[in-house]
Amino acid sequence: MKCRLLFCGLLLCATAAFAQAASTWTVTGTGSGGACVADSTTDANCTLDVAIADAGNGDTIHFSASVQGQTIVGNFGFSTGLTIDASPNGVVLDGGGSYTVVYVASGLVTLSHLTIQHGQGNNSGGGIYNLGANLTVDFCTVANNNAASAGAGIYTLGGTTTTIINSTLASNTGVVGSGIYANGDLVIANSTVTGNSASGGYGGGVFAGSSFTLASSIIAGNVGFGAPDIDSSGAISLGYNIVGNLGTFSGLGAPATGDQFNVDPLFATAGLANNGGATQTMALQSLSPARAGGNCAGNDGSNGYAVIPAVTLDQRGYARTSPGAIGCTVGAFDMTSIFYGGFE
């Protein structure tokens, strides 16, 4: 009898584990309203909206080779934990200038190797609106989005955690916090925030109303009265950042190790460009102060601050100089010696 009970218990555990196993969905079409089968890579027309609707908590959505490099127009919302990963060649999600591109409501959400553009927030959040998820944005570009109010690029509600790594927020336009407006906890690491404009005054690049951790990132060239690059009351620098205009409300205080405040990062172009990789990025001039001024070692959390993973690649997927260590380039774009001559 005990053996039977043990066998049944093991069977139930195995059945539960099987039922909870994460699935992978492969998008094979750029339209909407198709049909998808879990763990299939050969669906005739699996579209992103259907893959999102069918996916369960913890699932991953990939894109077929024929879809990578393409543009998918629409708005995409979900309330379960998902990873949407367009590696290696990227996918553009385009709001068509009519609606917020991505809504995330709950769970652990990762957006990777995506360009999120041309969103229109009728109130807040043109590119991404985070209602309640623990959101990670990596290897992404969020650009050319608009909002009638706050967070044209990304808007987050209180109680959320948003982590931006190896990504670029550029040329988003709104009233306040146009690159990102964060009511919840915010971490920006090894990323670039530039060219965002706040017509209402504050936080052209970043407005952070809660905990804000900044590490080895460039926030420069944004527009907003009084606080063009950063408006925050709770900013914590883990060092090795470039802030173009500290303004009067950044909350950063004295520079941490490696910080460069009120410094021009010397971008190579006025806006985003195709510099290789899955998404457009902001290249740097050869004499940029970002060169060898960064830290790619991450933060293990033992100092009481946010855990940040070490990075070995830049946003384009190119090897970092000093990968996983001090001495890489500040921001999302790494100035590898193969492109700039000499050695770092």
Side-chain angles (χ1 to χ4, degrees):
M1 184 65 176
K2 290 182 179 179
C3 290
R4 288 181 180 177
L5 289 173
L6 178 61
F7 174 77
C8 289
L10 291 172
L11 181 61
L12 286 171
C13 289
T15 301
F18 179 79
Q20 296 172 3
S23 296
T24 299
W25 306 79
T26 301
V27 174
T28 58
T30 58
S32 62
C36 303
V37 177
D39 301 314
S40 171
T41 61
T42 58
D43 294 332
N45 185 30
C46 175
T47 57
L48 180 57
D49 58 335
V50 174
I52 287 172
D54 291 350
N57 186 54
D59 285 1
T60 298
I61 296 174
H62 289 296
F63 299 83
S64 68
S66 63
V67 172
Q68 289 188 33
Q70 303 298 312
T71 297
I72 301 175
V73 178
N75 60 321
F76 308 95
F78 47 96
S79 57
T80 188
L82 289 177
T83 294
I84 301 180
D85 182 1
S87 63
N89 295 321
V91 165
V92 177
L93 302 184
D94 192 303
S98 299
Y99 26 65
T100 298
V101 184
V102 178
Y103 287 91
V104 294
S106 63
L108 299 176
V109 175
T110 298
L111 304 176
S112 186
H113 294 85
L114 296 167
T115 297
I116 297 172
Q117 67 179 27
H118 299 156
Q120 176 63 53
N122 292 328
N123 186 9
S124 299
I128 301 170
Y129 196 121
N130 182 4
L131 289 82
N134 287 328
L135 170 66
T136 298
V137 177
D138 65 359
F139 298 99
C140 288
T141 290
V142 180
N144 298 305
N145 300 285
N146 296 286
S149 182
I154 302 174
Y155 181 84
T156 77
L157 291 181
T160 62
T161 297
T162 299
T163 302
I164 300 170
I165 300 177
N166 262 347
S167 292
T168 299
L169 310 183
S171 302
N172 300 289
T173 303
V175 177
V176 61
S178 295
I180 180 168
Y181 188 108
N183 290 299
D185 294 345
L186 173 64
V187 177
I188 299 179
N190 305 103
S191 293
T192 299
V193 181
T194 188
N196 304 285
S197 180
S199 63
Y202 299 109
V206 177
F207 184 99
S210 185
S211 170
F212 171 36
T213 302
L214 183 65
S216 196
S217 293
I218 297 173
I219 303 183
N222 302 285
V223 177
F225 175 76
D229 288 322
I230 301 172
D231 187 346
S232 172
S233 59
I236 297 167
S237 172
L238 297 186
Y240 305 93
N241 300 291
I242 293 178
V243 179
N245 187 337
L246 201 61
T248 54
F249 302 105
S250 73
L252 284 170
T257 301
D259 278 340
Q260 302 178 69
F261 293 162
N262 300 314
V263 169
D264 186 346
L266 298 179
F267 291 117
T269 56
L272 291 164
N274 183 2
N275 299 303
T279 54
Q280 291 191 331
T281 51
M282 294 292 298
L284 295 157
Q285 298 177 34
S286 60
L287 296 179
S288 169
R291 184 171 186 164
N295 183 2
C296 288
N299 185 57
D300 63 9
S302 61
N303 54 6
Y305 299 128
V307 175
I308 299 171
V311 295
T312 58
L313 304 175
D314 73 357
Q315 181 178 336
R316 302 166 298 165
Y318 295 177
R320 289 272 187 177
T321 50
S322 302
I326 294 172
C328 61
T329 303
V330 185
F333 176 96
D334 202 282
M335 300 171 66
T336 56
S337 59
I338 188 172
F339 293 103
Y340 290 91
F343 296 90
E344 295 195 38

